[in-house]
Amino acid sequence: MKKALLAVDLQNDFYEDGALAVPDASKINQKVNELLESEEYELIVASQDWHPENHRSFASTHGEEAFTAYDKEEGLGPVLWPDHCVQQSRGAEFNNEIKTHKFDYILRKGTDVDVDSYSAFQDNDGSDLGLAALLKSFAVEEVDICGLAYDVCVKYTALDSVKNGFKTNIIQAGSKAVNPDQIEECNQELKKAGVNLI
Ligand code: VGL
Ligand code: ZN
């Protein structure tokens, strides 16, 4: 069975000193690089969160504090985020420990100012980002997922991967959550959907 690796949002802003810091994020780098350097993948796709400034998902756009609960617009929330991964900024760049020369494709998401994009397959409003068709064009049937953040973009990418018919595995040593206290709930949801946690 042909396999792809999806490396989700390995960008400075999601690392320990970043704007939307994921605790212990840099601890995944060794595992992620092992995956990137393994010979088992037909294709390696990296997603890159890539927001215009004043993105609607930013708390600052609404004059609110970061992490304020928000449910007023379809496709945003459940909280407003600190400004992060602004196009062309250092925070949007890939972490410099990551072996980015192994990426075959880079898929930018969150580029529409009004809509967020937690999944690498589609925007939160359902617009297709072309990833499923790309994988299918390479006859990929199985997908390994690593990256940041486990409870947001990795989770939604994995759920959509299953929906698109791929055998889907999250490599847990290659992922960390922004809210580590929500991991158990997140794992239940993923398992119920048919995602393998390995
Ligand atoms: C992410 C929140 C906002 C992620 C991206 O990559 O998990 N989380 N934008
Ligand atoms: Zn984002």
Side-chain angles (χ1 to χ4, degrees):
M1 216 190 282
K2 286 189 180 165
K3 247 175 139 174
L5 178 67
L6 304 184
V8 174
D9 299 1
L10 296 162
Q11 298 165 259
N12 291 326
D13 272 340
F14 299 117
Y15 280 80
E16 286 88 334
D17 297 329
L20 211 176
V22 172
D24 295 328
S26 58
K27 291 192 178 159
I28 71 172
N29 284 357
Q30 190 181 341
K31 182 66 188 181
V32 168
N33 282 332
E34 263 171 43
L35 296 169
L36 289 170
E37 291 190 311
S38 80
E39 298 292 314
E40 67 175 311
Y41 299 111
E42 186 68 19
L43 188 71
I44 297 181
V45 180
S47 66
Q48 188 174 28
D49 213 32
W50 193 251
H51 298 307
E53 37 179 42
N54 305 319
H55 194 262
R56 295 289 296 167
S57 75
F58 295 170
S60 64
T61 304
H62 304 259
E64 296 281 0
E65 297 278 322
F67 304 106
T68 302
Y70 191 78
D71 62 3
K72 289 186 201 134
E73 285 167 84
E74 181 95 35
L76 298 176
V79 298
L80 294 169
W81 304 109
D83 292 22
H84 65 280
C85 299
V86 172
Q87 296 171 1
Q88 315 292 349
S89 69
R90 215 193 86 77
E93 289 172 16
F94 293 110
N95 183 270
N96 68 8
E97 285 178 12
I98 297 295
K99 304 217 179 283
T100 56
H101 63 283
K102 293 290 182 180
F103 297 166
D104 295 308
Y105 284 84
I106 294 172
L107 186 149
R108 288 178 170 168
K109 63 181 183 62
T111 59
D112 180 335
V113 74
D114 293 319
V115 187
D116 215 347
S117 185
Y118 294 152
S119 162
F121 285 90
Q122 58 169 52
D123 282 342
N124 295 6
D125 71 357
S127 316
D128 185 16
L129 293 169
L131 178 57
L134 175 70
L135 297 175
K136 285 173 185 171
S137 76
F138 282 84
V140 165
E141 294 177 87
E142 180 172 1
V143 170
D144 283 354
I145 305 177
C146 64
L148 303 168
Y150 184 75
D151 49 335
V152 189
C153 290
V154 169
K155 176 176 104 172
Y156 287 102
T157 298
L159 294 173
D160 280 344
S161 176
V162 171
K163 283 185 199 149
N164 279 286
F166 300 106
K167 181 174 182 210
T168 304
N169 315 306
I170 295 179
I171 312 301
Q172 296 204 285
S175 189
K176 290 280 182 197
V178 65
N179 295 299
D181 53 317
Q182 281 168 29
I183 288 177
E184 213 25 66
E185 198 184 323
C186 182
N187 285 348
Q188 292 312 322
E189 190 179 344
L190 288 165
K191 278 191 231 165
K192 208 169 136 206
V195 176
N196 304 308
L197 307 178
I198 57 182

